Amino acid sequence: MSSLSPPDQPQWAPEGRLQPPPVGEGPPGGWARPAPGYVDHGYRPPEGGAYPPTTAWGPGAEGGYRRARVRRTGPGWASMAPALLASLMISVGLIVLFLGNLFIALGAPRGTSGRDRLLQFLSAGDLAAAAALVLAVALVVWQRSRPDAAPVAGLGGGRPRMVSLLAGAVAVVVALAALLRGFVLLTVPHTPGAVKVGDLIAQLAIVIIAGAAAWWSLRTRW
């Protein structure tokens, strides 16, 4: 009787643990993938009692072996064009400005009317903000129109269109804030009617400029 075990019988490893018969081919110098349902009773999991999450045995794994984690790298802030970075900072700065005015309005002294608090919050939507957003969109358009423009990083590694759309979204917020501020100013008591009309017209001018920035960001072809 031969001392060799049949190929379909389990083999005993040098450490005394039962090894399953080879199934398929493994990596050079490594063990073959174990048979379905095989459990290595000699394995001691790390502290916590769980197998490492990177170990995967089964049809979902590549060849039944541990998958190597690949570190993904992409364009960062250093690779963003200066024009796109400036446009992005303008949009983010206006968002922070609205947030700061919100805290100022909420922290106003006791006795401040709700109208005054609302006007304080909406004051961020002024003419300077609308003009800055026009500049933000223009910077993106200028960057894309350059003959030597190369693919550059946008917001989150996306296209420059995302930076332009962010400026357009902030422009819509500024336009709505200016429009609402104009109607709130009409309700201020003890103010002459001509002053109220003038305030409303001034706010409508801000709406037009901010609306132009939003329309430009949406209509620009990429």
Side-chain angles (χ1 to χ4, degrees):
M1 183 175 181
S2 176
S3 60
L4 298 177
S5 301
D8 58 344
Q9 296 296 327
Q11 306 291 331
W12 287 93
E15 299 179 0
R17 293 183 296 178
L18 187 64
Q19 296 289 340
V23 179
E25 296 183 357
W31 292 94
R33 181 166 58 93
Y38 170 74
V39 178
D40 188 356
H41 297 283
Y43 175 75
R44 294 295 181 268
E47 296 182 2
Y51 287 90
T54 56
T55 303
W57 298 96
E62 298 178 358
Y65 293 90
R66 178 179 299 180
R67 294 181 179 179
R69 293 185 176 181
V70 180
R71 183 179 180 182
R72 296 183 178 180
T73 58
W77 294 98
S79 62
M80 182 179 291
L84 293 182
L85 184 60
S87 175
L88 181 62
M89 291 299 100
I90 291 174
S91 302
V92 174
L94 290 177
I95 294 175
V96 174
L97 179 60
F98 272 99
L99 182 61
N101 278 4
L102 176 62
F103 281 100
I104 294 175
L106 295 177
R110 182 176 300 179
T112 305
S113 64
R115 182 193 298 109
D116 294 337
R117 294 174 186 268
L118 182 59
L119 289 176
Q120 173 62 41
F121 170 67
L122 298 176
S123 63
D126 56 2
L127 182 60
L133 290 170
V134 174
L135 176 61
V137 179
L139 287 173
V140 182
V141 175
W142 174 79
Q143 174 64 33
R144 295 297 295 171
S145 63
R146 294 179 58 187
D148 58 341
V152 289
L155 184 61
R159 298 178 179 178
R161 178 176 175 81
M162 300 182 65
V163 181
S164 179
L165 291 179
L166 177 61
V170 178
V172 172
V173 175
V174 170
L176 294 177
L179 183 62
L180 182 58
R181 179 179 172 84
F183 285 112
V184 173
L185 289 174
L186 293 177
T187 63
V188 177
H190 310 296
T191 302
V195 176
K196 293 182 179 180
V197 174
D199 290 336
L200 180 60
I201 294 176
Q203 298 303 313
L204 290 179
I206 299 174
V207 173
I208 294 174
I209 298 175
W215 179 84
W216 193 9
S217 66
L218 293 176
R219 297 292 296 178
T220 302
R221 295 183 179 181
W222 304 94

